Amino acid sequence: MSKKVLITGGAGYIGAHTVDALVRSGYTPIIVDDFRNSNPSVIQGLSKLIGFEPVFFKIDICDKKALKEVFTKHEINAVIHFAAFKAVGESVLEPLKYYQNNLIGLLNILECMEVFGVNEFVFSSSCTVYGEPDSIKEVNEKTPKQLPSSPYGYTKWMAEQIIADYAKAHSSFKVICLRYFNPIGAHPGGLIGELPIGKPNNLLPFITQTAIGKHSKLLVFGNDYPTIDGTCIRDYIHVMDLADAHIKAVEAFGNNSIGSCEYINVGTGKGTSVLQMIQAFEEVSGTKLPWEFAPRRPGDVIEIYANVDLAKSMLNWEVQFSYKDAIKDAWNWELSNQKKNR
Ligand code: UFG
């Protein structure tokens, strides 16, 4: 019988792409989402993509009773936990909202897993736990963690600690914390992609929305950083590759070399600056992007990219797509949304 995987936040950006990847790999997804940061249309797009309507529960994971019912109704074999708020700036303004949702949600999931004896857990962590790297910008999993600069960062940082403590106390439990770098792109089939609510905070959705005319121009935050062209450098990874890393993580639980609590970077291993992203967008889309420099955005890390050796050796995972592929798919997604909304 196919393994049942609970996906919290399965209607979200990374969650939905992972549901598709799970189905393609023969798993049965059980989706939990309350659409507070996603859109019901995602479930429709997903259904078209996977060829059936996935099992879906519209519940808030902070509602422990409702969450327990999902575990009662379905014999869950593994959990992939995405459901969390993720806007850095918003978390500074509304810290309680972030601690409440991101930490209570996690505690409820772990409690249900404990009660129902579910022992395989994949957690969405973030490269935010590394803070601003000192001199070496390529970080590996041994690079010391630093205290985060936002409540959002603290929720990921604390979540890793909570999970580690839980793993220590439960010998049959196994967890892989995937530390995401910057996910971008959309499904190449154009049926699912990122749907930011309100004005996007992240670079690529802002670029595609500006190019399609939703904003007058992109502001490039900072031009005087000590980098190749003065703008910040990130490791942009195609969401399809990131989704695939979750499948490899679920598969790895069957492997004896996996320890009880692993942390694995998920990036491409390459850094790209904001100006390089703009140039690549113009090249790939054939569209001129209006943009101008603006002051630095407070809290921005200057330069960071992943060392991905551990993902290769432990998960047998490697990226299949380049950042230009991701830009192309994100642009197609923006264009297909424009058609739908006409
Ligand atoms: N940027 C702009 N203009 C914009 C948006 C972004 O110049 O309108 C720049 C930022 O200043 C930064 C780069 O584009 O230099 C990337 O910014 P994003 O907001 O896309 O991504 P971040 O790296 O800031 O944040 C991401 C995730 C967070 C996570 C963080 C970890 O969104 O959830 O990585 O480093 F915490």
Side-chain angles (χ1 to χ4, degrees), residues 168-188:
K168 253 186 236 158
H170 295 76
S171 57
S172 329
F173 182 78
K174 279 194 174 188
V175 54
I176 297 177
C177 294
L178 295 178
R179 290 179 176 162
Y180 308 160
F181 282 68
N182 289 55
I184 55 166
H187 197 286

Side-chain angles (χ1 to χ4, degrees), residues 125-195:
S125 192
S126 164
C127 65
T128 194
V129 299
Y130 296 116
E132 176 76 58
D134 299 334
S135 53
I136 301 166
K137 306 300 180 183
E138 183 191 90
V139 294
N140 66 33
E141 294 78 358
K142 292 201 172 78
T143 301
K145 282 168 57 170
Q146 293 193 39
L147 289 182
S149 57
S150 71
Y152 159 77
Y154 267 106
T155 67
K156 291 295 171 191
W157 201 97
M158 289 178 192
E160 284 198 354
Q161 185 63 43
I162 292 168
I163 292 167
D165 290 339
Y166 180 87
K168 253 186 236 158
H170 295 76
S171 57
S172 329
F173 182 78
K174 279 194 174 188
V175 54
I176 297 177
C177 294
L178 295 178
R179 290 179 176 162
Y180 308 160
F181 282 68
N182 289 55
I184 55 166
H187 197 286
L191 287 170
I192 54 171
E194 194 166 7
L195 282 175

